[in-house]
Amino acid sequence: MALFIIAFICVLGLIGFILYKHRLKLTGKKTVKKVCDDETMESLTKVRDNESMERGTKEDAGSSSSCAPHVQADVHSQPSESVGDTNIEELRKHAVQFNIDRESSHPGLTVSKDCKTVRDAPDYKHTGEGFPYELCAVGAQRFASGRRYWEVDLAQEDKPPKNYWLIGVTKLGHFRVKDRSALTPSNRCWFLCSDGDNGFYTNTDPKCDPSVSLSLTPRPERLGVLLDYGKGQLSFYNVKERKHVLTMNITFTGAVSPLFNPGVGDQSSLMILDCPKPVETPVESSEPLLRNSSDA
């Protein structure tokens, strides 16, 4: 009798277990272990998805990192047009005097004793094609604040204006480059270049900015350069014509030096000038520094 009761209880338990499993299957409910396992997998999937998104974001940022710190869309290295005469005397209030750093100049350059004039050396042979970007020299002074202005003579007396030159600023101190690819905003170089029959152009990052070409007539005989470090601007002026050429908008991240390259084959040298002190006008005078010839 006792064995019959035990057997009957076991059968009831088995039937109850089968009904319980069947009920779970019909209602879609999960066991505690299954729920925990699924929640764990879901959590891991979300983590992996988030990590993938973060990696994708970083890769996208990294792919454009060479552009982002130095290129401002629609403004970087874009010419800023100016109408009318430029007040050169006002610019000269910010004039600075400096020399060329002879020690860091390319060996293919001849630098004068006063370190104010530079040109291609007589024995230098330009074997490459195009502009000789390697023939660079920098100013001995570095600037990290304020407004700084200097002028460069590009046409000596009884000689035609230079056809080849490169003028700007750079954070680099030594140049051992052979092509334009090393002199980009990503490498902290900004300049205006006169490349003979190829015209005038600014340097850009090929992957970030289109090349900016200019048509300058007449060819500048004296170029003025204004570095406004605080505003992040580098401006160029045709001093003789009293005309603004262009302004480059730049994000500076350290001290920069004036940059020069005299090119090859020109009769004239490239000369850094000591700007004359501007004529001070009386405070009570309302006459402009520049007047139209018709007013004389």
Side-chain angles (χ1 to χ4, degrees), residues 56 135 146 197 227:
L135 287 182
D197 293 337
L227 169 65

PDB file of all heavy atoms in Angstrom, residues 56 135 146 197 227:
ATOM      1  N   GLY A  56      34.063  54.369 -34.699  1.00  0.00           N
ATOM      2  CA  GLY A  56      33.755  54.992 -35.974  1.00  0.00           C
ATOM      3  C   GLY A  56      33.892  56.493 -35.911  1.00  0.00           C
ATOM      4  O   GLY A  56      34.413  57.127 -36.812  1.00  0.00           O
ATOM      5  N   LEU A 135      64.375  75.905 -51.308  1.00  0.00           N
ATOM      6  CA  LEU A 135      65.245  77.066 -51.071  1.00  0.00           C
ATOM      7  C   LEU A 135      64.621  78.040 -50.063  1.00  0.00           C
ATOM      8  O   LEU A 135      64.405  79.213 -50.359  1.00  0.00           O
ATOM      9  CB  LEU A 135      65.536  77.794 -52.383  1.00  0.00           C
ATOM     10  CG  LEU A 135      66.489  77.110 -53.356  1.00  0.00           C
ATOM     11  CD1 LEU A 135      66.707  77.977 -54.582  1.00  0.00           C
ATOM     12  CD2 LEU A 135      67.832  76.823 -52.687  1.00  0.00           C
ATOM     13  N   GLY A 146      50.211  89.900 -30.923  1.00  0.00           N
ATOM     14  CA  GLY A 146      50.198  91.243 -31.496  1.00  0.00           C
ATOM     15  C   GLY A 146      50.141  91.288 -33.011  1.00  0.00           C
ATOM     16  O   GLY A 146      49.930  90.284 -33.697  1.00  0.00           O
ATOM     17  N   ASP A 197      55.249  81.788 -64.935  1.00  0.00           N
ATOM     18  CA  ASP A 197      54.104  81.643 -65.830  1.00  0.00           C
ATOM     19  C   ASP A 197      52.954  80.879 -65.182  1.00  0.00           C
ATOM     20  O   ASP A 197      51.826  80.912 -65.688  1.00  0.00           O
ATOM     21  CB  ASP A 197      54.528  80.936 -67.122  1.00  0.00           C
ATOM     22  CG  ASP A 197      55.490  81.788 -67.955  1.00  0.00           C
ATOM     23  OD1 ASP A 197      55.484  83.024 -67.792  1.00  0.00           O
ATOM     24  OD2 ASP A 197      56.238  81.211 -68.768  1.00  0.00           O
ATOM     25  N   LEU A 227      51.023  90.332 -40.121  1.00  0.00           N
ATOM     26  CA  LEU A 227      50.665  89.187 -39.289  1.00  0.00           C
ATOM     27  C   LEU A 227      49.868  89.700 -38.095  1.00  0.00           C
ATOM     28  O   LEU A 227      50.396  90.400 -37.251  1.00  0.00           O
ATOM     29  CB  LEU A 227      51.924  88.455 -38.811  1.00  0.00           C
ATOM     30  CG  LEU A 227      51.725  87.392 -37.728  1.00  0.00           C
ATOM     31  CD1 LEU A 227      50.901  86.229 -38.255  1.00  0.00           C
ATOM     32  CD2 LEU A 227      53.072  86.902 -37.189  1.00  0.00           C
TER      33      LEU A 227
END
